[in-house]
PDB file of all heavy atoms in Angstrom:
ATOM      1  N   HIS S   2       9.737  13.113  14.222  1.00  0.00           N
ATOM      2  CA  HIS S   2      10.826  13.285  15.187  1.00  0.00           C
ATOM      3  C   HIS S   2      11.039  12.044  16.056  1.00  0.00           C
ATOM      4  O   HIS S   2      11.809  12.096  17.012  1.00  0.00           O
ATOM      5  CB  HIS S   2      10.527  14.492  16.093  1.00  0.00           C
ATOM      6  CG  HIS S   2      10.646  15.804  15.382  1.00  0.00           C
ATOM      7  ND1 HIS S   2      11.791  16.570  15.386  1.00  0.00           N
ATOM      8  CD2 HIS S   2       9.757  16.480  14.617  1.00  0.00           C
ATOM      9  CE1 HIS S   2      11.603  17.671  14.673  1.00  0.00           C
ATOM     10  NE2 HIS S   2      10.368  17.636  14.192  1.00  0.00           N
ATOM     11  N   PRO S  39      -6.236 -15.613 -14.991  1.00  0.00           N
ATOM     12  CA  PRO S  39      -4.888 -15.048 -15.128  1.00  0.00           C
ATOM     13  C   PRO S  39      -4.884 -13.927 -16.154  1.00  0.00           C
ATOM     14  O   PRO S  39      -5.646 -13.953 -17.130  1.00  0.00           O
ATOM     15  CB  PRO S  39      -4.056 -16.240 -15.597  1.00  0.00           C
ATOM     16  CG  PRO S  39      -5.037 -17.151 -16.259  1.00  0.00           C
ATOM     17  CD  PRO S  39      -6.329 -16.977 -15.524  1.00  0.00           C
ATOM     18  N   THR S  45       1.577  -6.644 -18.974  1.00  0.00           N
ATOM     19  CA  THR S  45       2.907  -6.499 -18.405  1.00  0.00           C
ATOM     20  C   THR S  45       2.928  -5.393 -17.364  1.00  0.00           C
ATOM     21  O   THR S  45       1.989  -4.608 -17.236  1.00  0.00           O
ATOM     22  CB  THR S  45       3.924  -6.163 -19.508  1.00  0.00           C
ATOM     23  OG1 THR S  45       3.587  -4.873 -20.060  1.00  0.00           O
ATOM     24  CG2 THR S  45       3.904  -7.206 -20.612  1.00  0.00           C
ATOM     25  N   GLN S  83      18.257 -14.607   6.180  1.00  0.00           N
ATOM     26  CA  GLN S  83      18.444 -13.178   5.970  1.00  0.00           C
ATOM     27  C   GLN S  83      18.682 -12.503   7.310  1.00  0.00           C
ATOM     28  O   GLN S  83      18.821 -13.168   8.330  1.00  0.00           O
ATOM     29  CB  GLN S  83      17.240 -12.571   5.218  1.00  0.00           C
ATOM     30  CG  GLN S  83      15.887 -13.202   5.536  1.00  0.00           C
ATOM     31  CD  GLN S  83      15.124 -12.581   6.656  1.00  0.00           C
ATOM     32  OE1 GLN S  83      15.667 -11.864   7.477  1.00  0.00           O
ATOM     33  NE2 GLN S  83      13.833 -12.865   6.712  1.00  0.00           N
ATOM     34  N   THR S 103       1.287  -7.730  -2.756  1.00  0.00           N
ATOM     35  CA  THR S 103       1.281  -6.352  -2.265  1.00  0.00           C
ATOM     36  C   THR S 103       2.102  -6.250  -0.992  1.00  0.00           C
ATOM     37  O   THR S 103       1.968  -7.071  -0.082  1.00  0.00           O
ATOM     38  CB  THR S 103      -0.161  -5.883  -2.003  1.00  0.00           C
ATOM     39  OG1 THR S 103      -0.860  -5.869  -3.247  1.00  0.00           O
ATOM     40  CG2 THR S 103      -0.193  -4.496  -1.409  1.00  0.00           C
ATOM     41  N   ALA S 104       2.928  -5.217  -0.929  1.00  0.00           N
ATOM     42  CA  ALA S 104       3.788  -5.007   0.235  1.00  0.00           C
ATOM     43  C   ALA S 104       2.964  -4.575   1.446  1.00  0.00           C
ATOM     44  O   ALA S 104       1.810  -4.175   1.333  1.00  0.00           O
ATOM     45  CB  ALA S 104       4.838  -3.945  -0.083  1.00  0.00           C
ATOM     46  N   CYS S 112      -5.007  -4.799   5.308  1.00  0.00           N
ATOM     47  CA  CYS S 112      -6.276  -4.088   5.240  1.00  0.00           C
ATOM     48  C   CYS S 112      -7.401  -5.118   5.091  1.00  0.00           C
ATOM     49  O   CYS S 112      -7.158  -6.282   4.789  1.00  0.00           O
ATOM     50  CB  CYS S 112      -6.292  -3.138   4.049  1.00  0.00           C
ATOM     51  SG  CYS S 112      -4.962  -1.919   4.044  1.00  0.00           S
ATOM     52  N   PRO S 126     -26.900 -10.290  -4.544  1.00  0.00           N
ATOM     53  CA  PRO S 126     -26.484  -8.980  -4.036  1.00  0.00           C
ATOM     54  C   PRO S 126     -26.252  -9.021  -2.533  1.00  0.00           C
ATOM     55  O   PRO S 126     -26.960  -9.713  -1.790  1.00  0.00           O
ATOM     56  CB  PRO S 126     -27.665  -8.079  -4.394  1.00  0.00           C
ATOM     57  CG  PRO S 126     -28.302  -8.731  -5.572  1.00  0.00           C
ATOM     58  CD  PRO S 126     -28.149 -10.210  -5.323  1.00  0.00           C
ATOM     59  N   GLY S 127     -25.241  -8.283  -2.105  1.00  0.00           N
ATOM     60  CA  GLY S 127     -24.940  -8.259  -0.682  1.00  0.00           C
ATOM     61  C   GLY S 127     -23.564  -7.700  -0.415  1.00  0.00           C
ATOM     62  O   GLY S 127     -22.951  -7.049  -1.267  1.00  0.00           O
ATOM     63  N   ALA S 132     -11.689 -13.251   2.202  1.00  0.00           N
ATOM     64  CA  ALA S 132     -10.882 -14.063   3.122  1.00  0.00           C
ATOM     65  C   ALA S 132      -9.661 -14.540   2.357  1.00  0.00           C
ATOM     66  O   ALA S 132      -9.721 -15.526   1.602  1.00  0.00           O
ATOM     67  CB  ALA S 132     -11.697 -15.247   3.641  1.00  0.00           C
ATOM     68  N   PRO S 134      -6.732 -16.033   3.143  1.00  0.00           N
ATOM     69  CA  PRO S 134      -6.115 -17.361   3.276  1.00  0.00           C
ATOM     70  C   PRO S 134      -6.821 -18.434   2.446  1.00  0.00           C
ATOM     71  O   PRO S 134      -6.183 -19.364   1.955  1.00  0.00           O
ATOM     72  CB  PRO S 134      -6.245 -17.661   4.782  1.00  0.00           C
ATOM     73  CG  PRO S 134      -6.338 -16.320   5.427  1.00  0.00           C
ATOM     74  CD  PRO S 134      -7.123 -15.488   4.465  1.00  0.00           C
ATOM     75  N   GLN S 165     -21.190  -1.950  -8.262  1.00  0.00           N
ATOM     76  CA  GLN S 165     -20.192  -2.859  -7.713  1.00  0.00           C
ATOM     77  C   GLN S 165     -19.082  -2.011  -7.098  1.00  0.00           C
ATOM     78  O   GLN S 165     -18.539  -1.121  -7.756  1.00  0.00           O
ATOM     79  CB  GLN S 165     -19.611  -3.768  -8.798  1.00  0.00           C
ATOM     80  CG  GLN S 165     -20.654  -4.533  -9.599  1.00  0.00           C
ATOM     81  CD  GLN S 165     -21.401  -5.554  -8.766  1.00  0.00           C
ATOM     82  OE1 GLN S 165     -20.815  -6.178  -7.881  1.00  0.00           O
ATOM     83  NE2 GLN S 165     -22.690  -5.719  -9.030  1.00  0.00           N
ATOM     84  N   VAL S 188      -0.071   1.698   8.551  1.00  0.00           N
ATOM     85  CA  VAL S 188      -1.127   0.961   7.863  1.00  0.00           C
ATOM     86  C   VAL S 188      -1.851   1.838   6.854  1.00  0.00           C
ATOM     87  O   VAL S 188      -2.409   1.327   5.865  1.00  0.00           O
ATOM     88  CB  VAL S 188      -2.106   0.351   8.882  1.00  0.00           C
ATOM     89  CG1 VAL S 188      -3.106   1.384   9.397  1.00  0.00           C
ATOM     90  CG2 VAL S 188      -2.823  -0.869   8.310  1.00  0.00           C
ATOM     91  N   MET S 190      -0.301   3.700   4.839  1.00  0.00           N
ATOM     92  CA  MET S 190       0.517   3.471   3.645  1.00  0.00           C
ATOM     93  C   MET S 190       0.122   2.157   2.975  1.00  0.00           C
ATOM     94  O   MET S 190       0.144   2.045   1.743  1.00  0.00           O
ATOM     95  CB  MET S 190       1.997   3.456   3.997  1.00  0.00           C
ATOM     96  CG  MET S 190       2.544   4.810   4.405  1.00  0.00           C
ATOM     97  SD  MET S 190       4.330   4.749   4.672  1.00  0.00           S
ATOM     98  CE  MET S 190       4.618   6.422   5.290  1.00  0.00           C
ATOM     99  N   THR S 194      -0.549   0.877  -1.023  1.00  0.00           N
ATOM    100  CA  THR S 194       0.088  -0.237  -1.735  1.00  0.00           C
ATOM    101  C   THR S 194      -0.950  -1.096  -2.437  1.00  0.00           C
ATOM    102  O   THR S 194      -0.754  -1.496  -3.593  1.00  0.00           O
ATOM    103  CB  THR S 194       0.941  -1.106  -0.788  1.00  0.00           C
ATOM    104  OG1 THR S 194       0.114  -1.706   0.212  1.00  0.00           O
ATOM    105  CG2 THR S 194       2.043  -0.289  -0.122  1.00  0.00           C
ATOM    106  N   GLU S 257     -33.498   0.345   0.664  1.00  0.00           N
ATOM    107  CA  GLU S 257     -33.828  -0.244   1.958  1.00  0.00           C
ATOM    108  C   GLU S 257     -34.293  -1.679   1.764  1.00  0.00           C
ATOM    109  O   GLU S 257     -34.805  -2.053   0.707  1.00  0.00           O
ATOM    110  CB  GLU S 257     -34.924   0.593   2.628  1.00  0.00           C
ATOM    111  CG  GLU S 257     -34.468   2.018   2.939  1.00  0.00           C
ATOM    112  CD  GLU S 257     -35.598   2.899   3.448  1.00  0.00           C
ATOM    113  OE1 GLU S 257     -36.728   2.397   3.505  1.00  0.00           O
ATOM    114  OE2 GLU S 257     -35.339   4.067   3.779  1.00  0.00           O
ATOM    115  N   THR S 276      -6.292  -9.923  25.057  1.00  0.00           N
ATOM    116  CA  THR S 276      -6.191  -8.533  25.508  1.00  0.00           C
ATOM    117  C   THR S 276      -5.993  -7.638  24.294  1.00  0.00           C
ATOM    118  O   THR S 276      -5.047  -7.814  23.527  1.00  0.00           O
ATOM    119  CB  THR S 276      -5.009  -8.337  26.471  1.00  0.00           C
ATOM    120  OG1 THR S 276      -5.171  -9.210  27.594  1.00  0.00           O
ATOM    121  CG2 THR S 276      -4.928  -6.896  26.948  1.00  0.00           C
ATOM    122  N   ALA S 295     -16.741  13.286   4.480  1.00  0.00           N
ATOM    123  CA  ALA S 295     -17.767  13.432   3.440  1.00  0.00           C
ATOM    124  C   ALA S 295     -17.635  14.747   2.678  1.00  0.00           C
ATOM    125  O   ALA S 295     -18.330  14.941   1.672  1.00  0.00           O
ATOM    126  CB  ALA S 295     -19.154  13.333   4.066  1.00  0.00           C
ATOM    127  N   ARG S 297     -15.863  16.433   0.295  1.00  0.00           N
ATOM    128  CA  ARG S 297     -14.891  16.271  -0.787  1.00  0.00           C
ATOM    129  C   ARG S 297     -14.394  17.638  -1.253  1.00  0.00           C
ATOM    130  O   ARG S 297     -15.182  18.523  -1.552  1.00  0.00           O
ATOM    131  CB  ARG S 297     -15.527  15.504  -1.945  1.00  0.00           C
ATOM    132  CG  ARG S 297     -14.582  15.251  -3.120  1.00  0.00           C
ATOM    133  CD  ARG S 297     -15.200  14.339  -4.172  1.00  0.00           C
ATOM    134  NE  ARG S 297     -15.292  12.972  -3.669  1.00  0.00           N
ATOM    135  CZ  ARG S 297     -16.436  12.386  -3.326  1.00  0.00           C
ATOM    136  NH1 ARG S 297     -17.573  13.036  -3.423  1.00  0.00           N
ATOM    137  NH2 ARG S 297     -16.438  11.149  -2.863  1.00  0.00           N
ATOM    138  N   GLY S 301      -9.397  20.643  -8.072  1.00  0.00           N
ATOM    139  CA  GLY S 301      -8.054  21.182  -8.229  1.00  0.00           C
ATOM    140  C   GLY S 301      -7.377  21.589  -6.947  1.00  0.00           C
ATOM    141  O   GLY S 301      -6.299  22.201  -6.977  1.00  0.00           O
ATOM    142  N   ARG S 337       7.924 -10.624  -6.148  1.00  0.00           N
ATOM    143  CA  ARG S 337       8.292  -9.483  -5.303  1.00  0.00           C
ATOM    144  C   ARG S 337       8.546  -9.936  -3.871  1.00  0.00           C
ATOM    145  O   ARG S 337       7.809 -10.742  -3.317  1.00  0.00           O
ATOM    146  CB  ARG S 337       7.149  -8.457  -5.319  1.00  0.00           C
ATOM    147  CG  ARG S 337       7.439  -7.208  -4.525  1.00  0.00           C
ATOM    148  CD  ARG S 337       6.166  -6.594  -3.984  1.00  0.00           C
ATOM    149  NE  ARG S 337       5.496  -7.442  -3.019  1.00  0.00           N
ATOM    150  CZ  ARG S 337       5.840  -7.564  -1.741  1.00  0.00           C
ATOM    151  NH1 ARG S 337       6.878  -6.884  -1.259  1.00  0.00           N
ATOM    152  NH2 ARG S 337       5.181  -8.362  -0.934  1.00  0.00           N
ATOM    153  N   THR S 351      23.312  -0.751 -12.997  1.00  0.00           N
ATOM    154  CA  THR S 351      23.610   0.120 -14.116  1.00  0.00           C
ATOM    155  C   THR S 351      22.813   1.413 -13.995  1.00  0.00           C
ATOM    156  O   THR S 351      21.775   1.457 -13.322  1.00  0.00           O
ATOM    157  CB  THR S 351      23.271  -0.550 -15.458  1.00  0.00           C
ATOM    158  OG1 THR S 351      21.839  -0.711 -15.540  1.00  0.00           O
ATOM    159  CG2 THR S 351      23.958  -1.906 -15.574  1.00  0.00           C
ATOM    160  N   GLU S 375      -2.305  14.790 -13.544  1.00  0.00           N
ATOM    161  CA  GLU S 375      -1.224  15.737 -13.810  1.00  0.00           C
ATOM    162  C   GLU S 375      -0.671  16.384 -12.550  1.00  0.00           C
ATOM    163  O   GLU S 375       0.336  17.095 -12.608  1.00  0.00           O
ATOM    164  CB  GLU S 375      -1.694  16.822 -14.790  1.00  0.00           C
ATOM    165  CG  GLU S 375      -2.880  17.642 -14.323  1.00  0.00           C
ATOM    166  CD  GLU S 375      -4.211  17.042 -14.754  1.00  0.00           C
ATOM    167  OE1 GLU S 375      -4.242  15.847 -15.118  1.00  0.00           O
ATOM    168  OE2 GLU S 375      -5.210  17.771 -14.728  1.00  0.00           O
ATOM    169  N   GLY S 414      27.160   6.288   2.168  1.00  0.00           N
ATOM    170  CA  GLY S 414      27.037   5.061   2.953  1.00  0.00           C
ATOM    171  C   GLY S 414      27.057   5.273   4.446  1.00  0.00           C
ATOM    172  O   GLY S 414      26.225   4.724   5.180  1.00  0.00           O
ATOM    173  N   TYR S 453      -4.197  13.596   5.380  1.00  0.00           N
ATOM    174  CA  TYR S 453      -3.160  12.722   5.947  1.00  0.00           C
ATOM    175  C   TYR S 453      -3.233  11.329   5.318  1.00  0.00           C
ATOM    176  O   TYR S 453      -2.207  10.704   5.045  1.00  0.00           O
ATOM    177  CB  TYR S 453      -3.331  12.641   7.464  1.00  0.00           C
ATOM    178  CG  TYR S 453      -2.223  11.906   8.181  1.00  0.00           C
ATOM    179  CD1 TYR S 453      -0.907  12.324   8.085  1.00  0.00           C
ATOM    180  CD2 TYR S 453      -2.498  10.787   8.961  1.00  0.00           C
ATOM    181  CE1 TYR S 453       0.109  11.653   8.747  1.00  0.00           C
ATOM    182  CE2 TYR S 453      -1.499  10.112   9.634  1.00  0.00           C
ATOM    183  CZ  TYR S 453      -0.193  10.544   9.518  1.00  0.00           C
ATOM    184  OH  TYR S 453       0.808   9.869  10.169  1.00  0.00           O
ATOM    185  N   PHE S 467       7.810   0.850  -6.774  1.00  0.00           N
ATOM    186  CA  PHE S 467       9.246   0.609  -6.640  1.00  0.00           C
ATOM    187  C   PHE S 467       9.531  -0.876  -6.452  1.00  0.00           C
ATOM    188  O   PHE S 467      10.424  -1.444  -7.093  1.00  0.00           O
ATOM    189  CB  PHE S 467       9.788   1.417  -5.465  1.00  0.00           C
ATOM    190  CG  PHE S 467      11.282   1.554  -5.440  1.00  0.00           C
ATOM    191  CD1 PHE S 467      11.920   2.502  -6.223  1.00  0.00           C
ATOM    192  CD2 PHE S 467      12.057   0.746  -4.622  1.00  0.00           C
ATOM    193  CE1 PHE S 467      13.301   2.634  -6.197  1.00  0.00           C
ATOM    194  CE2 PHE S 467      13.434   0.876  -4.590  1.00  0.00           C
ATOM    195  CZ  PHE S 467      14.066   1.823  -5.378  1.00  0.00           C
ATOM    196  N   ILE S 495      16.352  20.643   2.595  1.00  0.00           N
ATOM    197  CA  ILE S 495      14.967  20.941   2.221  1.00  0.00           C
ATOM    198  C   ILE S 495      14.157  21.454   3.420  1.00  0.00           C
ATOM    199  O   ILE S 495      12.931  21.321   3.448  1.00  0.00           O
ATOM    200  CB  ILE S 495      14.282  19.704   1.593  1.00  0.00           C
ATOM    201  CG1 ILE S 495      14.379  18.484   2.524  1.00  0.00           C
ATOM    202  CG2 ILE S 495      14.909  19.380   0.238  1.00  0.00           C
ATOM    203  CD1 ILE S 495      13.646  17.253   1.996  1.00  0.00           C
ATOM    204  N   GLY S 509      19.173  -2.960  -5.250  1.00  0.00           N
ATOM    205  CA  GLY S 509      20.494  -3.424  -5.674  1.00  0.00           C
ATOM    206  C   GLY S 509      20.467  -4.906  -5.977  1.00  0.00           C
ATOM    207  O   GLY S 509      19.420  -5.559  -5.857  1.00  0.00           O
TER     208      GLY S 509
END
Side-chain angles (χ1 to χ4, degrees):
H2 289 266
T45 65
Q83 34 91 342
T103 296
C112 303
Q165 306 294 324
V188 80
M190 291 185 185
T194 63
E257 297 173 358
T276 302
R297 181 173 289 108
R337 182 209 65 80
T351 67
E375 59 270 17
Y453 187 59
F467 196 81
I495 55 176

